Amino acid sequence: MASQSKRLTAKVEEDLMQNPFLQVLRASFEGIYRQAAERGERTALLVPCAECLEGESFGQVFAETHLLQATCVPGCYMNLLGQGVEIKDTSVSTHLGFQEHRVCEVLQSESMYDLGNTFKVLVVDKPLIGRHKTLPSATDRAPAAKASASSATAEPTADDWLNTTPSIQGDFFDQVDRFRKTFVQVLGCEHSTAERIREIADETAQRLSRHHKLTLPTQLRQLDFTVSRQAYAALHSFVFPHLVRILETQEVRLQQAIRSYESVAELLQAIPGADGRGLGLVDVRECSKELELMDRKITPHEKIACIDKAHSLLQQCVAEGAKSGQSGGGPVEITGDDVLSLFILAVHGSQVKHNLAHIAHVEMYLQGAAGRSGSSEAARFEEAGYAVSALQAGLQFFLEERRINPGPSSRAPPRPSTNVFSSYLPQGAQTAGGNLDADSDKAAMHLQGLVRQARSQGVR
């Protein structure tokens, strides 16, 4: 293996052959390293400098996080977990899919020749994830980056609990990889897919909690969430394209129905009870933009955060409208139906590409959590249920309002407003999946109850 280096700082050049991470990568993850090297110039390998590393044990997720592949956008890369990384001048920053925004300084740049190919190697002052030592000579970062670094070096996070136990982490990703290679996704059996993902995540979380002796409910909840998110992130390219494909026809119908309303005024006239409520004066553009961020997220956990924030923005928009005098100075009472109507307006104003696939992705995760009574993730289900159900009902409005060729006597009966699979897949798909199992029905009923709750509760 030969290399030609270019030092970007005044410090002494590091001998890459002695770097603990690179040694482990080439010895313990030879298959991953070989796959990256064979891509040649399309590969960029990030190597945290030896001085910033806290240990010499690295799991598979740590390795895959630092192996980058070039995209069609200059300077933008995607790692083997599907997360986005930007390389600009002498810095590397995390973007799409990362829970923590981190900016790393490039200390050394090399062109490395190995396995018959030449690829780029960048030595950075800190890893993209996990704890690290702060270099005394590191230049000052932006305030946000400083906060990220200080939090990373303080209390261990759930990512640290996973990354610092290579044997458990390795078994976890082996199970995920085996599931991807052996599990056959069948139309109508998506709930079974979610349950198997949930089982893999549960088993790993339990092993980690015993290993790290975690007993606090907040720690267990954080661990469950993180392991589940890691599983869905690793399986994104396996699960999400399937959802997009099976819901493609309904998505086309949804987009046609949304665009059939040329103005907000026309849409408000079609929403039962919305006309004359002054909802057209509420600016929902920020909510629409937040929903559009779902197209850039790879896990249902991140998509739920977008939906929840969009819901919060709706309430802020209403409050701001009242302060600016849009209500004519009188008291403003916003009901649950008004919130649903505003979500319909937000959907109409957004440019989300795969509405139904995103909601189906979220349902897979939420139903897995809801189907396990006593789960530490059940609380997350309750918290997210209101906002998610409101958005689901908003999407259903368009699909039910403008059904194609309903016919005067053959119009389909009303379908559940919250379960994408049972509502919008072809009728035969439900029997193909065994009519879904009882746990799926229970989760769907729970979600429907949340929609009824959304309609009945007033938001002031």
Side-chain angles (χ1 to χ4, degrees), residues 233-245:
L235 291 170
H236 175 263
S237 61
F238 175 68
V239 173
F240 192 68
H242 168 74
L243 300 178
V244 171
R245 184 172 60 255

Side-chain angles (χ1 to χ4, degrees), residues 215-228:
T215 57
L216 296 177
T218 53
Q219 292 177 323
L220 298 176
R221 201 157 40 237
Q222 183 184 10
L223 184 62
D224 279 350
F225 178 84
T226 299
V227 174
S228 173

Side-chain angles (χ1 to χ4, degrees), residues 295-351:
D295 282 334
R296 301 175 56 189
K297 306 302 182 183
I298 64 174
T299 68
H301 311 61
E302 297 165 309
K303 295 172 185 179
I304 289 172
C306 291
I307 298 170
D308 194 45
K309 185 174 180 180
H311 177 261
S312 298
L313 286 172
L314 279 182
Q315 300 181 59
Q316 293 177 20
C317 292
V318 171
E320 290 171 1
K323 289 179 182 179
S324 63
Q326 292 177 357
S327 63
V332 179
E333 181 180 350
I334 299 297
T335 67
D337 282 335
D338 289 336
V339 173
L340 298 181
S341 299
L342 289 172
F343 248 130
I344 293 173
L345 297 183
V347 170
H348 180 261
S350 71
Q351 300 294 327

Side-chain angles (χ1 to χ4, degrees), residues 21 28 33 37 60 69 94 128 142 186 216 218 266 276 279 333 340 343 370-371 395 410 413 432 443 459:
F21 170 64
S28 302
Y33 175 77
Q60 181 173 336
Q69 304 172 41
T94 58
L128 298 182
V186 179
L216 296 177
T218 53
E266 181 185 355
L279 300 180
E333 181 180 350
L340 298 181
F343 248 130
L395 295 177
S410 61
V459 180

Side-chain angles (χ1 to χ4, degrees), residues 239-275:
V239 173
F240 192 68
H242 168 74
L243 300 178
V244 171
R245 184 172 60 255
I246 65 175
L247 291 164
E248 182 179 9
T249 300
Q250 292 295 339
E251 184 65 40
V252 170
R253 294 176 62 192
L254 174 61
Q255 296 293 345
Q256 290 174 346
I258 292 174
R259 304 306 160 213
S260 68
Y261 295 96
E262 297 182 358
S263 67
V264 171
E266 181 185 355
L267 179 56
L268 285 172
Q269 290 179 353
I271 301 175
D275 195 22

Side-chain angles (χ1 to χ4, degrees), residues 430-441:
Q430 297 181 44
T431 56
N435 292 321
L436 300 180
D437 54 32
D439 287 339
S440 177
D441 293 338

